[in-house]
Every structure is written in C-alpha cells, then in structure tokens.
Amino acid sequence: MNDSTRNPVRRLADLETPALVLDQDRMQQNIARMRTSLARFDVVFRPHVKTSKSIQVARSTLGQASGPITVSTLKEAEYFAVDGFTDILYAVGIVPGKFDHVIRLRRQGVRLTLILDSLEMAQALCDKGRQENMRFDVMIEIDSDGHRSGVLPDSPELLEIGRCLVAGGQHLAGVITHAGNSYNCRSIPAIRQMAQQERDAAVGCAERLRAAGIACPAVSIGSTPTAMFADNLDGVSEVRAGVFVFGDLVMAGLGVCRQQDIALSVLTTVIGHQKEKGWIITDAGWMAMSRDRGTSRQPQDQGYGLVCDLGGELLPDLLMVDANQEHGVIAHRSGDPAQTPDLPIGAMLRILPNHACATGAQHSRYHVVKRESSDILEVWERFRGW
C-alpha cells in the first residue's frame, strides 16, 4: 500500500467539490500538544486511528513507521497491519461472529488484543480458543462513567470474567475503559475530575483482580478530553485518544482545542442563494458533512459547521444552519438576512466539522495543504467501511 498519492501541485480551487481538506500544520500542532501532555507520565501512547483511517496520519501521530494503535473495526486492523502496524487493540466488544476474522489476523502475525465485558463472551472465547488451539489476548472493559458498555467497577462479574479467562487458557492482558462522558463536561475542571474518575475506576479494577490472585498486567484508559487534561495517571499503563489529531467543533466547545486549531474541513462551492431568507446554498450537504450535530448539546450550537474562506480563515458568525443530502444552507448566526455576506455563485468555502470522525467517514481521501494555503501538497488515502 503506497504511503501517499503523489499529486501535481495545484490549488484547492481546481478541485471538484465537495472535498475533504487536511491542514498539515494544524494537525502537527495538535499531535505535538497531545504528546507534550502525555510526556508528563510514564505511559504508552496508543492512538485511536478510527478518526483518520490513514497510514500517513497514524505515522505522523506516532512519529515513526509503526507502533501501538487502537482500532474500532477489524477492517482497520487489516488495513494497518499491511503497513507494519501489528500491535493492535480492537476496542469494540468482541462477538462470536468475528472470532474467525480475529484468528485469521493473528495467524498473519498481528498481535490483536480483544475486549469483552461479560462472562458469557469470556466463556465463548475460551471455547473457541480450545477448538483452535489459540490463546487470545483479552482485556476486560470497565464502565467508568455510565456512558456506554463495560463491567461496573464493583461488580462481582469482574472477578468471574477474570477467573474464566485464566481457567480457559486465555491471556488476561488487563483492563480497559473509555471516559466517553467527558464529552458532556462543561468546564476544564470537570474534565479533570472525569479523568481522575476514569483512572480510579480502571486502576481500582486492576487492583481487585490482582488481590484475587489474577494477573492484570495493563491498565488502558483514554478519551481526547481526559488524555489532554489528566493530572494523575499513577497505575495506568497506556492512554488512547483519537479525535485530538484533527480537533473539531465539539472539542472546541469543550475547551480541548480552539476553533483555529481544527485541521479538518470540507471544501464546498456556492451554487445559489435565497436572499430574502439570508441563505447561501452550497454543494456540501449532510453526505459531505455527516448528520452529526454534537454541538447542539453544548452552550453554543454550531449548526452543521462553521464557515471559513478558501484559505481556512473563519468568517465571523457564518455557519451551516441546515443540510439536505447534497445541499448545504449557510446563513448568519443572527438569522438576519441583511447580515449574510454576498458571496457569489462559484465562490469556494471550507466548513469546519462538528465531529471529525463522522465527517471524515464520508470521504475517501485527504487533500493536504499547509496553513492558510490553497496549494495541495499531497493526496492521502483513507478507507471506509467495515
């Protein structure tokens, strides 16, 4: 698989829209900030590559050709393994229908770690391991904040799962949690408190297992907000984070990044107007931006995204207020038609996304530029699907 698709230097204005744009300078700045934050602690950084789904971005994040990564699909694991990423954590609960796929990857030399949160699944995995003469690497998922899945920290099932895996000949690699509820915090102190809660829950579960005589080598935690603002990672082995690499409007609304740090945008073209309504119509609808409206739950709703000029500079109080499948509607935040700028048909704009993972998933490649530049340096592949 090629590192990149070399591209004759041309301007963004030469592209057919909509198209995905990646500001390399902003991305590198975001990566450096996260690495500096985590350098205070004795932890392994295992970035989540579901955000970028890109070899080039992953290498930029790790600062090397390969390294430990987190994936959210087995297709991601396949894609990255081809390019030498073989230390992979599959951070979605395993189910029997995926056992054979996991086995194929492991027999190809991928050190693939699985997660689960039920005694039922632990027993099923042990049965499969015996049938295939295979010892799986497994982490028990912990629910540290009531956000999603996982075993409650004080649940008896934690020890039951651990004993089942060990007795079944499997390798209990450790415990894992994700403080997804950090996305609902409303202040940096609240994020710091959530980070402590995340750490305490995971480390506490590891200590419970060890006290019961069950080896628990690793403690894996992470979300972009808590990874950025954690004060104490004692007892933590590794940290995972993903969306930090690009940033987005939800992260900006949390104070995790600034709007001007967001590295990802969607290039679009003005195709019409409804001047009496103060609308600018573009060719980037929700198929280009995604339907994610994560900022609608924050103090300031950013619609479907904030509007920048072709060079990536924000246009004050201009946002994408509505979206159809292939049409976007841009208007002034005030709703006053007189405040909407007169942008001619054919003008090109860049829209900052609410959720970088969701917007990226709509596209198959990045058009890589430098800050405030419209020259395309390279085109990087990203893949889609499961």
Side-chain angles (χ1 to χ4, degrees), residues 60-372:
S60 296
T61 305
L62 288 161
Q64 57 195 48
S66 66
I69 59 172
T70 310
V71 301
S72 59
T73 72
L74 293 177
K75 184 175 180 180
E76 287 173 28
E78 285 183 346
Y79 174 81
F80 283 93
V82 168
D83 277 82
F85 294 83
T86 55
D87 181 359
I88 301 176
L89 170 63
Y90 174 41
V92 175
I94 191 62
V95 292
K98 297 179 182 178
F99 286 170
D100 288 340
H101 197 168
V102 168
I103 290 169
R104 289 197 302 272
L105 285 164
R106 289 180 60 91
R107 286 178 175 162
Q108 291 164 14
V110 180
R111 181 187 163 197
L112 186 67
T113 301
L114 309 177
I115 74 170
L116 50 79
D117 67 353
S118 71
L119 184 59
E120 174 188 4
M121 194 49 51
Q123 291 168 337
L125 192 65
C126 290
D127 290 344
K128 188 68 173 181
R130 281 190 290 268
Q131 292 169 15
E132 300 290 338
N133 193 28
M134 179 163 288
R135 188 170 186 245
F136 296 100
D137 296 303
V138 191
M139 302 189 90
I140 302 174
E141 185 175 11
I142 308 302
D143 178 3
S144 59
D145 61 358
H147 172 70
R148 200 162 57 193
S149 52
V151 178
L152 292 174
D154 59 354
S155 169
E157 194 171 15
L158 173 71
L159 301 184
E160 293 169 2
I161 293 171
R163 292 188 181 106
C164 175
L165 290 169
V166 173
Q170 304 310 304
H171 175 226
L172 176 56
V175 295
I176 178 173
T177 193
H178 167 63
N181 215 22
S182 62
Y183 279 48
N184 296 319
C185 291
R186 290 293 175 263
S187 68
I188 300 304
I191 294 174
R192 294 188 194 280
Q193 183 177 359
M194 183 64 67
Q196 187 66 41
Q197 178 178 319
E198 177 186 39
R199 177 261 168 209
D200 291 349
V203 172
C205 285
E207 290 173 347
R208 281 188 65 203
L209 287 162
R210 293 163 186 161
I214 304 168
C216 182
V219 176
S220 178
I221 70 168
S223 72
T224 285
T226 56
M228 191 67 75
F229 292 110
D231 289 321
N232 172 18
L233 292 181
D234 292 347
V236 172
S237 307
E238 67 178 27
V239 174
R240 310 177 321 279
V243 75
F244 75 93
V245 71
F246 297 151
D248 56 28
L249 291 171
V250 168
M251 289 297 105
L254 292 172
V256 175
C257 69
R258 304 170 302 168
Q259 292 174 359
Q260 57 266 42
D261 296 328
I262 298 173
L264 203 67
S265 60
V266 173
L267 184 69
T268 186
T269 304
V270 175
I271 62 172
H273 304 89
Q274 292 285 350
K275 292 189 176 181
E276 71 283 359
K277 299 175 183 176
W279 289 358
I280 299 167
I281 312 299
T282 73
D283 63 354
W286 55 257
M287 283 293 287
M289 296 302 304
S290 88
R291 280 194 177 277
D292 196 294
R293 290 291 317 282
T295 59
S296 65
R297 299 188 296 271
Q298 295 184 329
Q300 185 167 49
D301 186 353
Q302 308 291 16
Y304 284 86
L306 294 182
V307 181
C308 302
D309 63 18
L310 186 59
E313 286 298 305
L314 281 160
L315 299 177
D317 291 319
L318 207 60
L319 66 158
M320 188 171 170
V321 297
D322 202 359
N324 301 124
Q325 184 167 331
E326 304 295 349
H327 294 74
V329 179
I330 290 172
H332 193 269
R333 187 182 297 278
S334 67
D336 178 5
Q339 298 297 314
T340 300
D342 186 15
L343 300 179
I345 291 176
M348 301 184 85
L349 303 167
R350 286 159 66 175
I351 314 296
L352 301 181
N354 280 313
H355 186 180
C357 305
T359 296
Q362 307 301 109
H363 301 265
S364 61
R365 62 185 61 86
Y366 300 99
H367 299 87
V368 183
V369 299
K370 290 287 190 179
R371 188 187 303 274
E372 299 177 8

Side-chain angles (χ1 to χ4, degrees), residues 51-68:
T51 298
S52 68
K53 297 184 186 283
S54 162
I55 297 295
Q56 294 81 11
V57 175
R59 287 179 176 161
S60 296
T61 305
L62 288 161
Q64 57 195 48
S66 66

